[in-house]
Amino acid sequence: MTLYTVDTLLTLVLLSVLFAFGSSRVPALIKVMAFQGIVVSIIPFFITPHMATGAVIFTIATLVIRGVLIPLSIHLAIRKVAIQRDVAPIVGYHASLFFGLGLIVAAAVISRYLNIPSISDSRLLFPAAISLLVTGMFLLMARRNAIAMVIGYIMLENGIYLMGTTFSVRARHIVEFGILLDVLAGVMIMAVILQNIKQTFDDVDTSLLRTLKE
Amino acid sequence: MVELVFITPFVTGLLAFVLPSAVSRQLLVLTGAVHLVLSLLLWKNTPQAWFAEYFAVTPEGLLSLLVISLLFFLISIYTTGYLAAHGLKSENIFTGFMLLFLSTMTMVTLSDHIMVLWIAIEATTLASAPLIYTHRSGASLEATWKYVLICSVGIAMALVGSLFLTFSMELGGVTAAMSFSALTPVAAQLDPAWLKAGFIFIVVGYGTKMGLAPMHTWLPDAHSEAPSPASALLSGVLLNCAYLGIFKTNKIMVSAGLSDFSGTILIVFGLLSIVAAATYILKQTEYKRMLAYSSIENMGIIALGTGIGGLGVYGAVICMIHHSLIKSSLFLSSGNILMGYKDRLIANTGQMAKQMPKTFVAFFAGFAGISGFPPFGIFIGELFIIMAAFKTGHYLAAGIFIFSLCVIFAGFARQVMAICFDTPAETGTQPAADHKNFLFKEPPGMVWPQYVLLLTSLILCFFIPDALYQTIVDAVHAIGGGLQ
């Protein structure tokens, strides 16, 4: 029963990956990211049915940070930047979507051949994590809009977190919490830099950031 | 006790944000002194950490810690002079983040847990980003953006690598704690496939932060846009901290019997960095960027030495210590040059020997040291690495290494000569100020820290205290190196 739930949730993650590849507007991308953050952080509840109090508190903290605080800080950053803009793709949307589909298939195929230790029987856990990770990298490289790049970084971190849940017996929550705080602080700093980029260059297109070379 | 070394600067760093600027300047030097005393105490008798699962005192950590502590103390003295002469808008933000930066770097040297090390290294990125943005110009904004984004993404790869290490523990049935000191003895039981994958990701991740080519692109920008005391810290000690992550993982690889695999990877990345530095250093027009590329070169040398193994590891550790001392002195001198000429372009400087004789001596001696002239330690380190390369049959690597060193020396020497002796170009934006009208008078506090750094490097070539020598040998021995 729980296994189906986990796989259903992971299917949602994979769908959100496709949305991320296809969305052309920054606000849509932020919604996808928030949705992803929430789904990714509730998965531990379904993998381990009887959690200790510490683990429950940690998972809820993850939910608040990944699902609410991080998307909110990016949302506020672009509210100040005050424009709804295109993500300025370097690779077009159709090509992106095609790449996304290929990525999911490849991740599913490859992970069948890998010898992966897992605390869950879910077949989709590793493919979903890898897909999220590569999606993040793709957004970082194939979008010129600085906000889309930050969102790419967050998706990458979501992917790493998802991969981490397969082994969460190992890491103590105090350590995971440290990682989470680092990511949060990193996103905050990026949000501040975003606002400054907008003030200085009057745009968030990273092709303007080309004065420093070699 | 162990944790106190990084808690102290953390607390004073937070204090510096709220205190008035004049007080926070004093606090900077005071914390530097306290930190130095604390790390010397750590050196004298190695205590157990409060959280022994996460923190431990290791030989390589102690070495880096002492370097960080000494450098920070001298740089903080320079910084007070710098702030008095320069005057920043938000001074206590600058001093506060300097202290937080010190705290996070200390945490890197003392952390033993694989994930805690990751947290500490990511924290150094966050604590140093505001330092780069101190001048609030478009270019410094761009440098900060590049630094935060590239380093965060790079270090995320190291996190993936660390996860792969835990996979290899799971498959190997290892139940030890997830710390370097607990994993190294049982490394042979780890699953080799995931261990290898983990090592690749960790080298790419921490290598980004360390400035290994081709992931080095943030480094020249960040180093040239940051205020000079911050650049000195970035280049002198931050890069070593990232190297520590690779060094410790390499220790696991060696004791798992995979030293050939890890060595080859390190040699390739090392050579790539040295060659990249050689190509870019030739056409540099700014002196701070030139120094930044020289840092990339030295990090490449350290990776190369570690990869070759044996005597090479000893050479790498020697290079690491002396590079920190000499490069930070060079960056501090570059701060004086920037204040004197108000320009970062080499073409607009000149005749420094006449205009700023004291800075000239420090800068020129630093140049001699960093390019491997015999009395300085870099020479000894490079010699050991070359000897080890020949001994282990890495003839091609040794050839590329020696050739690049020659190219870098030629490029570096040409630029340094131009700064020190040439007459400034008439077309430059800054007309040649004659000696009497030259505004920058070289306050003593902005000169002698450089001398002390260089002198320390010089003394360490002829006389190494027994305790220090023993620690170096212990650290080197751990990854199969030695003096044979």
Side-chain angles (χ1 to χ4, degrees):
Chain A
M1 172 61 206
T2 45
L3 190 60
Y4 287 123
T5 327
V6 173
D7 275 348
T8 316
L9 286 173
L10 289 169
T11 321
L12 290 178
V13 170
L14 290 177
L15 275 177
S16 77
V17 162
L18 286 180
F19 267 113
F21 276 112
S23 30
S24 61
R25 297 255 150 206
V26 171
L29 212 49
I30 293 180
K31 280 178 196 138
V32 171
M33 173 185 79
F35 174 75
Q36 238 171 42
I38 293 169
V39 173
V40 160
S41 42
I42 58 171
I43 283 177
F45 280 123
F46 298 96
I47 289 183
T48 35
H50 305 291
M51 274 204 272
T53 328
V56 172
I57 294 172
F58 168 75
T59 314
I60 291 172
T62 313
L63 182 67
V64 171
I65 291 180
R66 281 190 200 276
V68 181
L69 280 182
I70 290 180
L72 200 67
S73 62
I74 295 297
H75 177 71
L76 290 179
I78 71 156
R79 271 270 294 279
K80 279 202 175 173
V81 172
I83 28 159
Q84 293 212 346
R85 266 189 50 114
D86 182 70
V87 293
I90 294 170
V91 178
Y93 301 114
H94 288 117
S96 298
L97 263 176
F98 191 71
F99 177 82
L101 277 172
L103 166 72
I104 292 172
V105 173
V109 171
I110 290 170
S111 67
R112 295 192 69 170
Y113 292 100
L114 289 180
N115 188 6
I116 305 157
S118 177
I119 58 166
S120 157
D121 295 328
S122 164
R123 273 197 181 175
L124 280 178
L125 204 46
F126 199 76
I130 291 287
S131 308
L132 264 183
L133 223 153
V134 180
T135 311
M137 288 296 255
F138 184 85
L139 288 183
L140 271 163
M141 287 187 285
R143 301 286 182 262
R144 264 198 302 272
N145 187 312
I147 302 168
M149 291 170 82
V150 176
I151 294 173
Y153 171 71
I154 297 164
M155 287 192 182
L156 187 128
E157 284 290 345
N158 282 346
I160 296 176
Y161 175 77
L162 197 53
M163 199 186 284
T165 50
T166 51
F167 80 103
S168 57
V169 258
R170 284 277 170 201
R172 298 280 294 277
H173 295 305
I174 190 162
V175 175
E176 288 196 335
F177 199 64
I179 295 174
L180 199 57
L181 285 186
D182 261 354
V183 172
L184 180 65
V187 172
M188 296 284 187
I189 286 187
M190 285 179 195
V192 172
I193 302 176
L194 271 179
Q195 291 171 15
N196 282 310
I197 290 179
K198 165 68 182 166
Q199 276 166 12
T200 312
F201 296 102
D202 203 38
D203 202 340
V204 286
D205 191 330
T206 46
S207 57
L208 293 167
L209 297 174
R210 288 285 153 82
T211 47
L212 296 175
K213 262 183 283 184
E214 261 66 79
Chain B
M1 170 66 211
V2 172
E3 286 86 349
L4 211 60
V5 190
F6 61 81
I7 293 175
T8 314
F10 185 77
V11 172
T12 53
L14 292 182
L15 272 179
F17 287 124
V18 291
L19 290 172
S21 342
V23 184
S24 67
R25 264 185 227 173
Q26 308 300 325
L27 194 65
L28 193 68
V29 181
L30 189 71
T31 313
V34 170
H35 190 267
L36 188 58
V37 172
L38 281 175
S39 38
L40 283 175
L41 281 178
L42 218 59
W43 189 280
K44 208 150 172 275
N45 51 350
T46 323
Q48 184 81 14
W50 288 329
F51 297 95
E53 195 184 340
Y54 302 128
F55 301 102
V57 182
T58 52
E60 65 271 17
L62 263 185
L63 272 182
S64 320
L65 179 62
L66 195 65
V67 172
I68 290 174
S69 218
L70 178 71
L71 251 63
F72 189 85
F73 179 57
L74 291 168
I75 290 171
S76 69
I77 292 171
Y78 177 92
T79 310
T80 46
Y82 181 86
L83 291 174
H86 194 284
L88 293 172
K89 245 187 252 161
S90 38
E91 214 182 281
N92 35 6
I93 293 184
F94 181 73
T95 44
F97 275 109
M98 284 279 271
L99 288 168
L100 290 186
F101 190 28
L102 172 70
S103 161
T104 51
M105 285 194 295
T106 311
M107 196 170 150
V108 173
T109 60
L110 294 175
S111 44
D112 190 33
H113 193 279
I114 294 173
M115 295 295 175
V116 172
L117 180 80
W118 185 88
I119 293 172
I121 293 184
E122 172 68 14
T124 57
T125 312
L126 304 176
S128 52
L131 293 178
I132 297 170
Y133 188 48
T134 306
H135 288 314
R136 320 235 161 155
S137 61
S140 67
L141 184 62
E142 182 185 336
T144 317
W145 171 252
K146 262 184 166 176
Y147 175 62
V148 173
L149 205 72
I150 294 178
C151 282
S152 295
V153 173
I155 297 178
M157 292 297 108
L159 185 56
V160 175
S162 306
L163 286 182
F164 285 176
L165 284 191
T166 63
F167 287 180
S168 78
M169 285 170 72
E170 201 77 47
L171 285 175
V174 180
T175 48
M178 235 176 92
S179 64
F180 289 103
S181 50
L183 276 186
T184 309
V186 294
Q189 298 168 34
L190 297 173
D191 179 64
W194 282 110
L195 189 58
K196 282 180 184 170
F199 183 76
I200 294 174
F201 273 87
I202 285 179
V203 169
V204 169
Y206 293 146
T208 308
K209 185 94 188 184
M210 184 181 164
L212 293 180
M215 298 88 74
H216 67 280
T217 43
W218 62 274
L219 197 146
D221 302 336
H223 284 51
S224 62
E225 292 302 327
S228 299
S231 324
L233 274 184
L234 284 174
S235 181
V237 285
L238 177 67
L239 305 183
N240 293 355
C241 285
Y243 169 67
L244 214 56
I246 297 178
F247 187 94
K248 288 183 173 191
T249 319
N250 195 29
K251 220 154 97 177
I252 297 181
M253 294 297 282
V254 170
S255 75
L258 297 168
S259 56
D260 284 346
F261 177 80
S262 65
T264 314
I265 291 176
L266 286 175
I267 290 173
V268 169
F269 275 114
L271 284 178
L272 265 178
S273 314
I274 298 171
V275 171
T279 27
Y280 286 118
I281 221 166
L282 281 177
K283 54 173 188 179
Q284 272 323 300
T285 50
E286 287 179 23
Y287 48 87
K288 281 186 94 174
R289 292 181 85 82
M290 176 183 80
L291 293 179
Y293 275 107
S294 160
S295 290
I296 295 173
E297 176 220 346
N298 277 284
M299 287 302 125
I301 294 175
I302 292 171
L304 176 71
T306 315
I308 287 172
L311 195 55
V313 188
Y314 187 74
V317 172
I318 297 273
C319 271
M320 181 183 101
I321 296 171
H322 288 277
H323 167 253
S324 296
L325 293 167
I326 299 172
K327 186 54 65 61
S328 53
S329 135
L330 274 170
F331 267 113
L332 294 183
S333 299
S334 82
N336 289 3
I337 303 175
L338 184 58
M339 275 194 191
Y341 294 95
K342 309 232 171 349
D343 205 311
R344 276 204 292 257
L345 289 178
I346 293 172
N348 293 337
T349 61
Q351 294 200 317
M352 190 171 73
K354 219 199 260 170
Q355 312 277 31
M356 294 193 276
K358 293 177 203 154
T359 310
F360 159 71
V361 174
F363 193 72
F364 206 78
F367 154 67
I370 209 75
S371 43
F373 270 89
F376 287 97
I378 301 257
F379 168 74
I380 303 170
E382 285 173 354
L383 193 67
F384 280 161
I385 293 172
I386 293 171
M387 276 161 61
F390 279 123
K391 222 185 242 176
T392 49
H394 292 97
Y395 297 109
L396 182 65
I400 297 173
F401 178 45
I402 296 172
F403 176 72
S404 308
L405 279 183
C406 295
V407 173
I408 289 170
F409 173 71
F412 213 133
R414 193 171 53 118
Q415 322 274 38
V416 170
M417 294 300 163
I419 296 174
C420 294
F421 304 114
D422 274 11
T423 341
E426 295 299 324
T427 49
T429 48
Q430 180 80 19
D434 67 60
H435 188 46
K436 290 198 183 80
N437 296 338
F438 203 73
L439 287 172
F440 188 68
K441 290 290 181 249
E442 304 182 275
M446 294 178 70
V447 176
W448 69 257
Q450 285 100 299
Y451 285 136
V452 175
L453 285 167
L454 290 171
L455 213 62
T456 317
S457 162
L458 204 59
I459 291 169
L460 281 182
C461 303
F462 299 108
F463 168 71
I464 301 183
D466 280 341
L468 182 63
Y469 177 75
Q470 197 52 47
T471 314
I472 297 178
V473 170
D474 286 349
V476 167
H477 186 70
I479 52 172
L483 275 172
Q484 291 83 42

